[in-house]
Amino acid sequence: MKTKKNVLERAMVSVQTKVQATVPAERQVQAAHMAKKAQRLAGKGKPLVLTERPIPDAADVPLAELDVSNPFLFRQGKSRDYFKRLREEAPVHYMPDSPFGPFWSITRYEDIRAVDTNAEVFSAEPVIVMGDIPLEIAMFIAMDPPRHDTQRKAVQGVVAPKNLKEMESLIRERIVEVLDSLPTDRPFDWVDRVSIEITGRMLATLLDFPYEQRRKLTYWSDAISGTTEGTGGITHQDEFFKATAELAREFIALWHDKAARREQGETGFDLVTLMQSSDETKDMISRPLEFLGNLTLLIVGGNDTTRNSMSGGVLALHQNRDQFEKLKANPDLIPNMVSEIIRWQTPLAYMRRIATRDVHFGGQFIRKGDKIIMWYASGNRDEAQFDDPDAFRIDRANARHHMSFGFGVHRCMGNRLAEMQLRILWEELLARFDQIEVIGEPTYVQSNFVRGYGRMIVQLTPKSDG
Amino acid sequence: MPTVTFVEHDGTPHTIDFVEGQSMMEAATNNAVPGIEGDCGGEAACGTCHIIITDDWISTTGTRSDRESQMIEMSPECQANSRLACQLVASKAMDGLKVRLPEFQM
């Protein structure tokens, strides 16, 4: 019997592999889309609709009903008090009923680090956002060891410090181009002209994606990470599938184009070239969903995060003028300030885990299969770890200990690239501008995952050369 | 006081005093040794205090644990004697220890 089952299983795997290899990724995405639509027509899997309402103060809500999955929490400025209350009164908190299903919230720094470094008990599979996603694309951020390790090693070279060193002057050149084109005689949208522009250029460079089409990368990333079901964002399922299929089509074309150029002797340090030159990944194209997963991860990982830290830094310095003066007096503080910006902003609020077995944690009993949210946004404001945690201090001694990059095997692979981009941005800003003033209030992204800005109007004052 | 020497990738040595019982990461960061970051505060959770022990010292320090391996083995510079300094508790027997630093921390 055992042998028969094994034979069947092997046959199944072989068929799946064949399907993956021969059916274009774009078709596979379309098939998944059709299945979702059929479900919807059958009255199942109704799309989630979220309407913004004023959120009550943390103190006015019973502890058991404190719902931090609300995607309007950050926008309405409530996230600080909600998490403070959880840290103080229920650091391992159960929410039995939310639009994203039941979940546990871990809100203290040390507890989050303990969960994050225990991949055996707290699994990252199958997805790392709070809710369901329409199509589970295979990405290593949502895989456990050892599968995670092999896949990550295959692509991490593209953002490894060694590669970055080669790229620093190119990164600076691109940032300088963006800054030199900014108006100083009128206000403009910082998010669009600086944050999106720089991260888009960087991604296009890393992926060797057609430069003039770089805004597509931003669009795909936003659409994929912003599904209502997954993160409480504004992407409808249909748009998610459209974006994913487009991304698949264009990157598979890019893969073949690069392969042809490689044969003619072209070299490069971009992701696809790296994949094509490593034994482990050179046939990645025959596993299109995996290829798609790795790409999506890099695009999403390199987009929202750095973009919102670029905007967040400007806002933090605008709100804390004394810190801006301190910075101008001592530009050597830039690297430490970069860590402080990443702590203060926490561009991704959390990562999700699933308990692989029953476990006692923080005085609570977590059952096998329960969903656990590690709130980095809260750990980064934990009074037990950071002195006066809500203050923005560019010379904070332990700013580097922030948890925005996560801890453990899933620690952000692009951390050094992110830091480098932010450092260069601030070096070049200080060389050019005396004041960076935010006009009015920025708008905030609707999401429980991405802590970001939609628009931020800024007026620059050039440095007087006297 | 006992001392330990951290040798940067370019060959620059940094000899510092250490206190028994502290971790080598703490000893290094307290003395501002460049190239040892310790972003997670000493929990083998970030991989930014990667050091490489010379062969003649490995029997004194011991080899890395599974927890350390999980982080260090993701680094392209991982070697047989790679360890995380935060997991290496300083003892008298380590007086005179010499360790090398990788070119980059993760």
Side-chain angles (χ1 to χ4, degrees):
Chain A
M1 273 313 280
K2 204 177 164 206
T3 332
K4 198 170 173 191
K5 197 178 161 213
N6 280 348
V7 169
L8 277 174
E9 270 175 7
R10 277 211 303 275
M12 187 78 109
V13 169
S14 142
V15 168
Q16 280 169 349
T17 318
K18 222 170 210 157
V19 167
Q20 272 239 19
T22 47
V23 179
E26 194 193 338
R27 285 261 180 282
Q28 295 187 44
V29 173
Q30 282 166 352
H33 189 187
M34 300 281 276
K36 276 279 168 197
K37 270 191 177 162
Q39 269 181 12
R40 288 210 305 262
L41 285 173
K44 285 182 200 156
K46 206 167 58 176
L48 181 63
V49 178
L50 299 167
T51 314
E52 181 163 9
R53 293 191 182 84
I55 300 171
D57 287 342
D60 297 337
V61 182
L63 192 59
E65 292 166 29
L66 216 63
D67 184 5
V68 282
S69 78
N70 190 321
F72 307 105
L73 204 64
F74 180 57
R75 175 188 288 176
Q76 293 189 22
K78 302 285 187 189
S79 99
R80 182 199 291 192
D81 290 346
Y82 269 59
F83 285 118
K84 189 174 168 46
R85 187 156 175 227
L86 286 187
R87 280 195 305 275
E88 281 168 4
E89 296 175 39
V92 179
H93 173 266
Y94 190 63
M95 167 52 66
D97 183 32
S98 89
F100 310 92
F103 66 95
W104 291 93
S105 283
I106 314 287
T107 46
R108 284 186 184 164
Y109 185 95
E110 280 199 16
D111 289 343
I112 294 168
R113 189 173 56 189
V115 171
D116 220 355
T117 51
N118 192 349
E120 220 176 284
V121 177
F122 303 106
S123 166
E125 299 184 4
V127 290
I128 47 80
V129 294
M130 197 179 284
D132 298 329
I133 52 170
L135 171 70
E136 283 170 17
I137 312 169
M139 354 182 158
F140 59 85
I141 195 174
M143 286 178 197
D144 297 328
R147 204 153 64 109
H148 159 271
D149 306 4
T150 322
Q151 298 232 341
R152 172 169 166 149
K153 274 183 201 158
V155 294
Q156 70 180 3
V158 73
V159 288
K162 212 175 183 80
N163 210 25
L164 295 183
K165 213 170 142 188
E166 310 286 322
M167 292 171 64
E168 177 160 354
S169 58
L170 182 62
I171 296 177
R172 189 177 298 274
E173 215 172 278
R174 304 216 144 147
I175 289 178
V176 163
E177 274 166 26
V178 170
L179 298 188
D180 283 344
S181 74
L182 295 176
T184 52
D185 57 344
R186 60 181 188 279
F188 64 93
D189 180 10
W190 181 269
V191 174
D192 183 60
R193 301 258 332 233
V194 180
S195 308
I196 291 182
E197 197 47 42
I198 292 177
T199 39
R201 286 177 188 220
M202 211 49 251
L203 271 175
T205 307
L206 282 176
L207 301 167
D208 197 17
F209 187 77
Y211 203 55
E212 62 290 352
Q213 292 180 44
R214 58 187 178 268
R215 289 279 167 145
K216 282 187 182 170
L217 299 169
T218 312
Y219 163 71
W220 292 330
S221 171
D222 289 352
I224 291 170
S225 67
T227 58
T228 313
E229 288 80 5
T231 58
I234 56 167
T235 309
H236 187 275
Q237 283 183 0
D238 292 340
E239 199 178 350
F240 170 92
F241 282 109
K242 183 177 150 259
T244 311
E246 249 175 52
L247 182 149
R249 187 173 59 236
E250 299 215 7
F251 273 97
I252 285 165
L254 181 69
W255 176 285
H256 293 301
D257 176 47
K258 297 285 299 182
R261 278 150 60 189
R262 249 169 72 80
E263 269 177 26
Q264 288 166 11
E266 200 183 292
T267 54
F269 48 70
D270 60 280
L271 179 76
V272 173
T273 302
L274 281 181
M275 280 181 166
Q276 289 175 350
S277 24
S278 147
D279 275 347
E280 301 214 345
T281 44
K282 65 172 193 279
D283 58 347
M284 181 77 90
I285 199 69
S286 63
R287 303 188 298 276
L289 286 189
E290 206 177 297
F291 174 57
L292 195 57
N294 284 329
L295 272 169
T296 309
L297 179 54
L298 260 90
I299 295 171
V300 175
N303 178 48
D304 280 321
T305 51
T306 317
R307 179 208 304 177
N308 291 317
S309 299
M310 286 181 170
S311 306
V314 167
L315 185 63
L317 284 171
H318 170 80
Q319 292 172 351
N320 298 274
R321 298 293 179 102
D322 58 321
Q323 299 296 309
F324 197 26
E325 292 310 316
K326 201 191 281 177
L327 177 68
K328 283 196 285 186
N330 185 5
D332 289 346
L333 286 171
I334 289 177
N336 199 73
M337 177 182 77
V338 164
S339 293
E340 177 69 348
I341 290 173
I342 297 170
R343 181 193 75 89
W344 187 86
Q345 182 62 35
T346 320
L348 296 183
Y350 66 82
M351 288 285 154
R352 167 185 130 173
R353 297 291 183 259
I354 300 284
T356 59
R357 55 176 165 83
D358 292 354
V359 59
H360 288 278
F361 189 87
Q364 300 291 330
F365 182 64
I366 296 176
R367 282 185 187 281
K368 179 179 176 175
D370 281 1
K371 204 186 272 187
I372 298 141
I373 307 295
M374 305 178 288
W375 289 101
Y376 299 143
S378 172
N380 277 337
R381 300 295 179 98
D382 186 344
E383 303 72 5
Q385 177 68 23
F386 300 103
D387 177 40
D388 194 5
D390 293 319
F392 177 78
R393 289 193 202 144
I394 64 171
D395 51 359
R396 182 182 289 280
N398 63 349
R400 287 197 67 92
H401 291 184
H402 70 75
M403 46 183 24
S404 306
F405 293 141
F407 286 131
V409 294
H410 293 290
R411 186 167 168 81
C412 176
M413 174 176 105
N415 55 350
R416 300 302 182 215
L417 172 62
E419 287 170 350
M420 182 188 274
Q421 290 189 78
L422 287 163
R423 171 174 59 78
I424 297 174
L425 172 67
W426 282 98
E427 284 169 2
E428 297 300 333
L429 282 172
L430 280 190
R432 284 169 179 70
F433 307 112
D434 198 45
Q435 289 301 330
I436 306 172
E437 200 175 342
V438 177
I439 316 248
E441 281 291 312
T443 64
Y444 294 87
V445 170
Q446 174 186 327
S447 174
N448 59 31
F449 181 58
V450 172
R451 288 159 50 101
Y453 307 92
R455 264 165 75 82
M456 189 188 302
I457 304 302
V458 159
Q459 171 73 58
L460 295 172
T461 309
K463 225 167 143 174
S464 52
D465 285 327
Chain B
M1 259 195 163
T3 62
V4 51
T5 305
F6 293 83
V7 183
E8 283 186 78
H9 190 261
D10 67 4
T12 314
H14 301 270
T15 301
I16 56 160
D17 294 337
F18 68 78
V19 180
E20 257 187 281
Q22 71 179 169
S23 78
M24 286 299 181
M25 182 278 282
E26 289 171 305
T29 49
N30 288 346
N31 287 280
V33 172
I36 294 282
E37 282 154 12
D39 288 356
C40 73
E43 295 290 320
C46 69
T48 64
C49 62
H50 180 185
I51 54 174
I52 301 144
I53 315 277
T54 50
D55 282 336
D56 45 332
W57 277 100
I58 196 76
S59 59
T60 311
T61 60
T63 50
R64 62 175 175 268
S65 66
D66 288 349
R67 247 178 99 207
E68 290 169 70
S69 292
Q70 264 207 334
M71 294 309 296
I72 306 185
E73 285 174 9
M74 289 196 291
S75 163
E77 294 183 75
C78 178
Q79 298 184 17
N81 288 353
S82 284
R83 295 222 37 192
L84 290 179
C86 71
Q87 300 304 302
L88 184 57
V89 181
S91 70
K92 240 187 220 136
M94 293 177 199
D95 188 12
L97 173 70
K98 205 174 204 180
V99 303
R100 288 186 295 117
L101 298 185
E103 188 173 5
F104 303 104
Q105 295 289 354
M106 287 209 300

